[in-house]
Structures are given as C-alpha cells and as structure tokens.
Amino acid sequence: MSEIHVFFKKVNMREEVYDLLKTSFFKLFGKEAPNVFKDKNGKPYFDGKPDIHFSISHSGDYAMCAISGDPIGADIQKTQEISQKMLKRVFTENELENADPISLWCLKESFVKFKGKLDREYRNIEFLKADDVFFGPDDTKGILINE
C-alpha cells in the first residue's frame, strides 16, 4: 500500500478546497499541480497523472485533502444533528450500535469517493467496527481520525 498524505486547512469558502489540493501537491512533489478533471462518474483526477490519486472534502470551516499512490476516498464532516428519518434511511441498526452517525457518514462518503460513484443505496454500504478498524463492502477498511 502506498503512503497516504492528509492535509487540513481552515477555510472561508468552498473554493479554497482546490487551493489546498494545489498547495499539498506542491509540498509533496515540488511542482505545480496538473489540471483537475472529472471522469464519467464524477471522480476528480489529475490530468496526465494516473498514478497519483486524491480525495477532497469540505465541511463547515474546514477542508481536507488526501493524496496517495493508490485509489483513496476521504471525508471530513462537521458534527451536527441527524434526523431520525435520515438515520433510518442511511444506517443499519448494526452500524448505529457500534458507532456514531457522523463517523458512519464519513465512512460512507469516503467509500463513495473511493469507488468514484454511488453504485448502491447508502443503507447498503454497511461498515462494522472491529477494534479501531471499520470493515465495509468490497473488502474496504476504514479508519477514523477525530481531531
């Protein structure tokens, strides 16, 4: 598995997420970031750099990006109240017995970003916790960083 580099930044506007990505790319590789395009599923990628993968996210006043040599999905989420209707629609009972909804939401969002598309209902993207690791569909593993 490749190294994963994660960068966080306090931001004022959503557009600053791409500034963070460009700055992070420069810090890692010492050169300007290539243009970013989206594939047919909407997953962003660097033009001409198929071996460099990234995932970006924004929530509240914070942005993050993760850069890796392997496909990656990452999410950041501001803590907020989730309605009972949404809880029932998005999470399984097993999930809610093992983790808080915000953490589960981040894992599910990260999974969709990793895959590049939503190929099933969120409720069918189930993550179950064993020790400090979450195991999800398609042999994925998720780890939460709470700062």
Side-chain angles (χ1 to χ4, degrees), residues 6-23:
V6 180
F7 302 87
F8 294 92
K9 179 182 179 184
K10 187 166 178 136
V11 295
N12 294 319
M13 297 173 27
R14 184 179 185 151
E15 292 77 30
E16 291 183 56
V17 175
Y18 282 97
D19 290 340
L20 174 61
L21 179 62
K22 290 175 186 177
T23 301

Side-chain angles (χ1 to χ4, degrees), residues 31-129:
K31 53 186 167 185
E32 189 174 319
N35 290 329
V36 173
F37 295 104
K38 291 187 178 181
D39 68 16
K40 64 181 179 181
N41 297 314
K43 184 172 182 161
Y45 66 91
F46 287 121
D47 186 32
K49 299 288 183 188
D51 57 333
I52 301 174
H53 303 270
F54 67 92
S55 184
I56 56 177
S57 183
H58 172 270
S59 183
D61 293 336
Y62 289 90
M64 62 88 55
C65 75
I67 300 175
S68 177
D70 292 315
I72 188 168
D75 189 58
I76 187 171
Q77 196 61 234
K78 180 180 176 182
T79 302
Q80 59 191 21
E81 197 68 29
I82 299 176
S83 72
Q84 286 298 316
K85 182 179 177 182
M86 181 66 81
L87 289 174
K88 289 179 182 177
R89 196 174 101 211
V90 175
F91 307 111
T92 66
E93 287 182 30
N94 284 338
E95 286 178 313
L96 292 173
E97 288 173 5
N98 291 298
D100 68 277
I102 296 296
S103 296
L104 291 167
W105 183 263
C106 285
L107 288 165
K108 291 177 186 235
E109 283 283 304
S110 297
F111 178 78
V112 171
K113 290 176 180 184
F114 170 75
K115 297 290 280 183
K117 65 179 179 177
L118 180 60
D119 60 358
R120 60 195 90 180
E121 295 294 319
Y122 264 61
R123 188 170 174 79
N124 295 326
I125 303 171
E126 186 175 50
F127 279 91
L128 299 175
K129 188 175 182 182

